[in-house]
Amino acid sequence: KNEVEQSPQNLTAQEGEFITINCSYSVGISALHWLQQHPGGGIVSLFMLSSGKKKHGRLIATINIQEKHSSLHITASHPRDSAVYICAVNSGGTSYGKLTFGQGTILTVHP
Amino acid sequence: DSGVTQTPKHLITATGQRVTLRCSPRSGDLSVYWYQQSLDQGLQFLIQYYNGEERAKGNILERFSAQQFPDLHSELNLSSLELGDSALYFCASSPRGGPYSGNTIYFGEGSWLTVV
C-alpha cells in the first residue's frame, strides 16, 4: 500500500460542476501539498497545509490531521482546470522538500 | 513563472552516456530539491541540497549524483544511462523556514530526458 493514496484516479466533469479530490496518507506529516501539473509538464504548488483549511479563488483545500486525510475542492469548474492534481506529504524535519507523492488525479472538465 | 530555471528542457542521449542537468533556484532560496517523474514510478524525491551541503537523500541511484555550487545553482549528474532513466527531472527551491513559516516549494519546468 502506498503511503499516499489519491482518489479518484480519473475524474471527468462538466463545466460548472463542484469537484472533490481526496488524499489519504499513512505517515505522520509536517505539511501536505496540493500540486497541479498541466499537460506541458510544469508543476505548480496550489496549497501547502499543516492544519485546517485554505482557500484561493475557486479552490479550497482542507486537512484533517487526526484522520490523515485531505481534500481539494474546485467550485464552478472550468475547462482550464483540466490538469493532473497531485497530493504530496512531507514527513517532517527540516527537509520539507523531501516529499512523498500520490499517484495523481487526472481531471478533465468539458465545456 | 516560478523563478526556478532548468536547462536543458529536452535531451536525447544514448544508453551508457552521461548527462548533466542544471538548475538555478529562485533568487535567495538556499534549498534545492531534485525529483524524477517516470511513467512507471510517478514522482519521486531524489535529493536535497541546502546552501551547498547535502541535506536529505531519497531514491537516488548510485549512478546519479548532485551538487550545489557557491552561487546556489545545482547540477544533477546522471551516468551510465539506461533506458529506464528516461523521465522528466524536476528541480525545485524553497525559502528558509519551511512550512512552519508558511513557505512553499517552487518547481522548475523540468528537463525531459530520453535515453535511446
Side-chain angles (χ1 to χ4, degrees):
Chain A
K1 191 179 189 307
N2 293 332
E3 291 182 344
V4 182
E5 294 277 355
Q6 285 184 237
S7 62
Q9 291 190 23
N10 286 280
L11 184 54
T12 301
Q14 290 297 124
E15 184 173 356
E17 286 184 358
F18 181 87
I19 287 163
T20 296
I21 301 171
N22 295 299
C23 175
S24 296
Y25 52 92
S26 57
V27 294
I29 68 168
S30 58
L32 180 145
H33 297 255
W34 281 104
L35 310 172
Q36 181 191 57
Q37 186 172 29
H38 276 284
I43 294 176
V44 174
S45 175
L46 298 174
F47 294 102
M48 184 180 62
L49 296 159
S50 52
S51 64
K53 175 180 174 178
K54 286 189 176 179
K55 184 175 189 291
H56 181 70
R58 296 179 295 105
L59 273 60
I60 303 166
T62 63
I63 189 168
N64 185 318
I65 297 292
Q66 286 73 31
E67 296 190 0
K68 293 188 166 65
H69 181 268
S70 176
S71 294
L72 176 68
H73 306 286
I74 304 175
T75 62
S77 59
H78 190 276
R80 65 175 174 266
D81 297 326
S82 298
V84 178
Y85 292 84
I86 302 167
C87 172
V89 302
N90 165 244
S91 303
T94 57
S95 302
Y96 59 92
K98 187 179 180 182
L99 301 175
T100 303
F101 298 88
Q103 74 275 36
T105 295
I106 302 171
L107 172 64
T108 304
V109 182
H110 293 293
Chain B
D1 182 9
S2 67
V4 179
T5 304
Q6 288 188 248
T7 56
K9 288 190 169 30
H10 298 271
L11 189 56
I12 301 174
T13 190
T15 54
Q17 295 298 303
R18 172 190 168 93
V19 299
T20 297
L21 308 180
R22 182 188 169 101
C23 170
S24 293
R26 293 187 336 142
S27 177
D29 287 357
L30 300 179
S31 282
V32 169
Y33 313 90
W34 286 98
Y35 305 93
Q36 180 196 58
Q37 185 176 35
S38 62
L39 281 176
D40 54 345
Q41 301 276 1
L43 267 163
Q44 293 189 96
F45 167 76
L46 295 179
I47 197 163
Q48 177 200 355
Y49 278 82
Y50 179 83
N51 201 20
E53 293 189 1
E54 183 184 303
R55 178 63 66 91
K57 236 176 185 177
N59 299 324
I60 187 166
L61 299 172
E62 284 190 13
R63 300 183 286 107
F64 296 179
S65 65
Q67 54 184 334
Q68 186 179 26
F69 296 87
D71 66 353
L72 300 178
H73 92 270
S74 178
E75 293 181 356
L76 179 67
N77 301 297
L78 315 175
S79 62
S80 303
L81 285 167
E82 303 175 358
L83 296 178
D85 297 327
S86 296
L88 182 54
Y89 291 85
F90 285 102
C91 168
S93 74
S94 63
R96 295 181 66 177
Y100 305 108
S101 302
N103 294 314
T104 189
I105 294 172
Y106 299 88
F107 288 82
E109 291 293 309
S111 292
W112 285 94
L113 173 66
T114 302
V115 182
V116 297

